Amino acid sequence: MEFETVIGLEIHAQMKTRSKIFCGCSTEFGAPPNTQVCPVCLGMPGVLPVLNRQVVENGIKFALATSSSINRENRFARKNYFYPDLPKGYQISQFELPIAEHGAVDIEVDGAVKTVGITRAHMEEDAGKLVHDDREPVSYVDLNRTGTPLLEIVSEPDLRSPEEAVAYLKKIHAIVRYLDISDGNMQEGSFRCDANISLRPVGAEELGIRTELKNMNSFRNVQLALEFEVRRQRDILLDGGEVVQETLLWDPDRGCTESMRGKEEAHDYRYFPDPDLVPVVIDDAWIERVRGELPELPDARRKRFVADYELPEYDAGILTSSRELADYFEAACMLYPNPKKLSNWIGTEMLRDYGPETIAACPVTPHNLARLLNMIEEGTISGKIAKTVFGEMLATGADPDAIVKEKDLAQVSDEGELLNAVREIIAANPEQVRQFREGKTKVMGFFVGQLMKQTKGQANPQLANKLFQQELG
Amino acid sequence: MMDMNYFSLTLCEAKKLLQQGEITSVQLTESIFSRIDAVEDKVKSFITLDREGSLVRAEEADRTRRQGRAGELGGLPIGVKDVLCTSNMRTTCGSRILEKFVPPYDATVIDKLNRAGAVIVGKTAMDEFAMGSTNENCAFGVPENPWCPGYVTGGSSGGSAACVSADESLAAIGSDTGGSIRQPASLCGIVGMKPTYGRVSRYGLVAFASSLDQVGPMTKDVSDCALMMNVISGYDKRDSTSINLPVPDYTAALTDDLQGMTVGVPVEYFSEGLDPEVEQVVRSGIDMLKDAGAEIREISLPHTDYCVAVYYLIAPAEASSNLARYDGVRYGYRDMEAETLLDMYQKSRSTGFGDEVKKRILIGTYALSAGYYDAYYKKASQVRTLIREDFTRAFAQCDVIVSPVTPTPAWKIGEKGDDPLALYLSDILTISANLAGIPGMSVPAGFSSEGLPIGIQLQGAHFNEEALLRTAWNIEQRAGIKGRRPELG
C-alpha cells in the first residue's frame, strides 16, 4: 500500500524586542540565571502585565508578509497549566482572535512551487527554563526567559514530505529574519518547531492518527526526525497496527524518536480572556504605517535578482535565502558588475565557511571581495592566485591589494620578463616542440604549465599563450 | 487638646490639628497604638502590626511638616487590608500559603499613601484571598464587630472595617470584589467606597477576581472618604485596566444640597428577605434625600436576580487562574513530604488553602473546563453585559441609585457557617456594582433595635464618585448619628 505523508508545523519564533512582552526586563540571551527578572515576569502576587507595543507591531509585520488577515481587535487569553517554569500558573497567549489568520507562503521543492497555508499566528509569552542537576535529584528554575515574546505560527496540514516541511520552515525562517522580528537562532532556541505528522493511504480523504514531534533544533534534525517518523508510522501501518496519538521527542544522538508518555498529562488549558489586559485595537493607520516600513521580502527579492542581475533561479534563491547574504551580494555587485561571476564566487568560496545567516561575520567585506574580483578582470592576478589571496582575506580581513603587494603575488605581464623563460622552456623540451609543430596544439597546455611552474603561477596566462605561439610559430 | 484620646479623631480633624501644630504625628500614632493595646484582643483587626516602623514614619512626618512639606495624609495613621503588597511588611491575604511572604515591591496605592505621608500602622484581617462575607475565613483569627462582641464584622475587608470602627486607625484601605468594602462598612457603622473599576490602580493588589477587584477607602465619615479618594485615585501605567482620566478634588463635592439631583430607587432591591429594620432605615434615608432637594424616582434593574449566579461563576473562574501561582514552588509554603512534582502541588495547595478558597477554585476550574465553558463562563459573561446595560439605562433616568447594602445587620459568628448559599445570597445587593464596574458606597444611616449599625448603599454611573459623596454627605448631615461610637471599654 502507498501512503501519503501529512505534516503540519507549529513554529515558535522568539521575537527580537529589547524588553519582554509584559514588563521592562531585558530579553538578552545568556545572562546568569534569574538576573533578568522583576516582580511582573516573576508572576509575584498583585502584579499586572502591560503589553509591549513592539510585539504587536512585529505581529502585524508577519501578518502582512504572509498575506494573513489581521484581527483588528486582539485579545489575550490565559492558558492555564501547572509547571515550575511557569510562575503564574498560566501563560498569557492568544486564543480567540489571534493577530494573524488565513495566511500563506510559497515554497519550492524540486522545482515545483507550492502554496502552504498558515492557519494562524499569535503573540504569547515564553516560559522559563528548568535546569536539572546531573548528580542530585534537584531541579533549578531560571526565569530569565519568562516573558520573552513569542510568535507562534501554525501551518495548515499542507506539507506532504519532510522536504516540504523543511522548505516551509526555511521560508518562515527567512521571512522572520528579513522582517527583523526574530533572530531565528535554532541552537539558542529562539526559533523552535514542533511537527504534527500522520500517514494515510494515497487517495484517502480522512487524516490518519497523528503524532507530535518535539525537540528538533536544526533544519537537519527536522528532516531526519520526520523521515524517521514516516518510516516508523509506515512500518506500523503495513504491519496492520495503529499509530498511537502521542508526543514524541527526537533524540538526535540516537537518531530516533522516543515517547514522552508519562511526562505529559492530557491538558485542558481552560483558556479564558485575560482580565488584566484590555483588547488591542489595530487600526488602518497603524497597519499602513507598518506596511510602509516593510523590507523587500525573500520572494520579491529573488524575482528581482533574476530580472535585474540576470541570475539563474538557483543562484537567486541561494543569494536571497537571507537578508544579510542578499545585502552582501548587492553591495559587492555595485563595485563589481558581473553578477554571475560574483554569485559563483560567493557560492563556491564564501558559503563553504559561512552560512547565509552568518555572512555578516565574514571578515571579507563586500568592498574587498569586489576589489579581488576586479583584480582578476584587470589581469593583476590570476583566478588561481585569487583563491590564495581570498584565503588570506578570510584569515586576516586584509584588503586584497595589500596581500598581493606584501606577498608579491601580482601577475607577470611584462613581455620581456617572460620571454626569456619562454625561450628556455622551448629549448629544454625539443620533443614537445616537435609534437606542437606537427599539429598537436594541445601541447600548448604543457608549455603554459611549465611557465606557471617557473613563475609560481604569476604569469599572465593570455600573455604566456601569445608568447609561446609567437616563439613556436 | 487636653486629653490623649486622639485616636477618636476623624482623619480630617486630626489633619487640621496637625496643620495647626496642636498635636504631632508621634502623639497621634502613640495614641493609636495605646488604643490598639487596649482593644485589639477584643476586636482582632490586624494580622500584622508595625509599631516601630510607624513611629519612625510619624517622626519623619513631623519633620517634613516642620519643613513645610507635609503631604495630603502627612502623619496620619491608617490601616491597610492585608491584600495590598507592602515591601516592609508581610502580605498574607489571610492565607497560610502566604504566611511568610514579604513582597519585593509596594502596591501603587501603598506608594501613593507613602508619598502622601500616611503612617501605615499595620495590615488588617481579611477573609482568605478576599473570599467571604464574614471574615471567618481568615487563617490568622476572626475579627469581631466592635459594636457587639461575638458578631461578625462582615467581609472580606472585616479587619479594615473593625479597626476604623474601633478607633484603632483613623482610616483604612479595603478592597471590594463583590461588596467587600461596602458590606463590612455597613455592618461596622463606617463609610466605605468601592470606586469605579479603573479609578484606582490594582497594581500590587493581590488578585482575587481581576475584572471585579477594586481598592477603596474605609473611613469614619464622608469627608475622610473624599480625602482618601483624592490620594489613591488616578491612572497607573502599570495597570492596563486603569483609566486615564483627571482626578477631581472629591472634597469639593461635599455640598449641603441635592437640588437638581435625581435619586433612583430600584424595586428589585426591596424584595422579600429584606430585614424590616434595614428597610426602615433605608426608607428614612430616602426621605432625607428628598428633604435635601433630590427628586426620588422608582427605577428597575431587571437582571438583578441573575447577579449572584453570574458573580459566582466569573469570580471563581478568574480566581482559579489567579491563585494557580500558589503552587508550593515559591512564597515559602511547601509540603516537604511530597514525593513527586504533582504530589507537591496537590499537598501544598490542599493544606495551604482554606476550605472556602478551595471550594471556589473548584467551582472556577469547573466553569472554565472544556465542555462547560460555553454554558458557564461564557454565558455568565453575556449576562454580565445585560446587567451592565441595566445600569446604563438606569443612569439615563437618575444620578444615584439608593438601596440597602445588606439584607440584614450583622449576625453572630458561626451562625451562617453551614449555609453557604444563604451567605452568597446576602451579597446580592452589592455584587452588581462590581459586575457593572460602577462606583458604590456605604454610608451609616441608623441602627437596629439591637444597636447594630445599618448603612445605606449608593451607586452611581462610571466615574461619578462625586455624586455618591455628595449624596452620602447629605445623609450623614441629616441622620443624626455622626460621632456615635461603639463602647469598647
Side-chain angles (χ1 to χ4, degrees), chain B residues 61-123:
Chain B
D62 286 335
R63 199 161 46 243
T64 36
R65 185 174 294 285
R66 282 197 298 276
Q67 294 163 348
R69 295 187 287 112
E72 276 286 289
L73 299 176
L76 296 167
I78 65 162
V80 171
K81 187 178 182 180
D82 208 14
V83 71
L84 283 147
C85 285
T86 45
S87 59
N88 63 334
M89 260 184 276
R90 66 176 177 155
T91 299
T92 70
C93 291
S95 181
R96 287 268 167 246
I97 217 155
L98 285 179
E99 186 169 2
K100 293 167 187 157
F101 173 61
V102 181
Y105 74 104
D106 282 321
T108 295
V109 166
I110 298 297
D111 232 33
K112 284 174 179 269
L113 291 171
N114 284 334
R115 273 186 281 127
V119 174
I120 298 173
V121 296
K123 305 293 287 290

Side-chain angles (χ1 to χ4, degrees), chain A residues 314-335:
Chain A
Y314 177 81
D315 290 45
I318 288 178
L319 291 173
T320 56
S321 63
S322 87
R323 189 174 171 176
E324 291 89 337
L325 181 57
D327 287 348
Y328 189 100
F329 173 82
E330 294 207 276
C333 209
M334 300 226 301
L335 303 164

Side-chain angles (χ1 to χ4, degrees), chain A residues 417-430:
Chain A
E417 207 173 307
L418 287 181
L419 196 55
N420 284 338
V422 166
R423 286 178 178 155
E424 275 170 33
I425 290 164
I426 290 173
N429 297 288

